[in-house]
Amino acid sequence: MKRALLISVLSLLAATGLRAQNVALGERVPELKSVEWRDGAAPAAAPLTYIEFFHSSNSEALRSLDRLKETVEALGGRLRAVVVMRERTERALAMVAPYRSGRIGVAYDADGRIFDAFGVTYVSFGVLTDAKNRALWMGNTLRITPDFIEQTVQ
């Protein structure tokens, strides 16, 4: 009985771990085809894209967006950012509005397809991709800086 319970628990943990991350470094990431762009506009093209998964309930959400905005501005035309969110509440929209620019776009993922395709289980989480849509780095957005991205891209 104990052995069967242990096997069940380990199987559940293994399955959860496998589903927790659908992105592998160096591999292509899911495309953002099913999103709806706020104001109907994607951010300007750039050699690097940072995809930020956002939820207003995250206590670090604004700090992450501040860091992302600083990084995008510092790298100029080399980096664009896409903030992917499921929410359309007034609170969430008010939180992301100051960050929207020509280099930072906001995308709605109302049905959760993009969150699921990337295997996102926590926020702040982001993925840095190259021009060929391959994952270069992924993790907590608070870790990124212009220098960090420069080192990662080399």
Side-chain angles (χ1 to χ4, degrees), residues 49-53 61-75 79-84 99 103-105 141-142 144-146 149:
T49 298
Y50 189 79
I51 303 165
E52 165 77 1
F53 292 91
L62 291 180
R63 222 173 99 196
S64 292
L65 291 177
D66 286 337
R67 172 68 58 88
L68 186 58
K69 182 177 181 181
E70 290 169 6
T71 303
V72 168
E73 288 173 355
L75 292 174
L79 177 69
R80 72 178 187 152
V82 176
V83 178
V84 181
Y99 300 94
R103 295 248 172 250
I104 300 175
T141 304
L142 292 173
I144 67 165
T145 63
I149 288 178

Side-chain angles (χ1 to χ4, degrees), residues 12-26:
L12 178 63
L13 289 174
T16 302
L18 291 174
R19 290 183 312 148
Q21 189 56 256
N22 295 339
V23 176
L25 295 179

Side-chain angles (χ1 to χ4, degrees), residues 113-145:
R113 285 184 189 177
I114 300 301
F115 272 75
D116 291 344
F118 278 82
V120 176
T121 57
Y122 67 92
V123 290
S124 288
F125 175 76
V127 178
L128 178 65
T129 65
D130 64 12
K132 294 181 180 179
N133 204 31
R134 295 177 303 204
L136 300 174
W137 179 85
M138 66 188 118
N140 188 315
T141 304
L142 292 173
R143 291 191 53 208
I144 67 165
T145 63

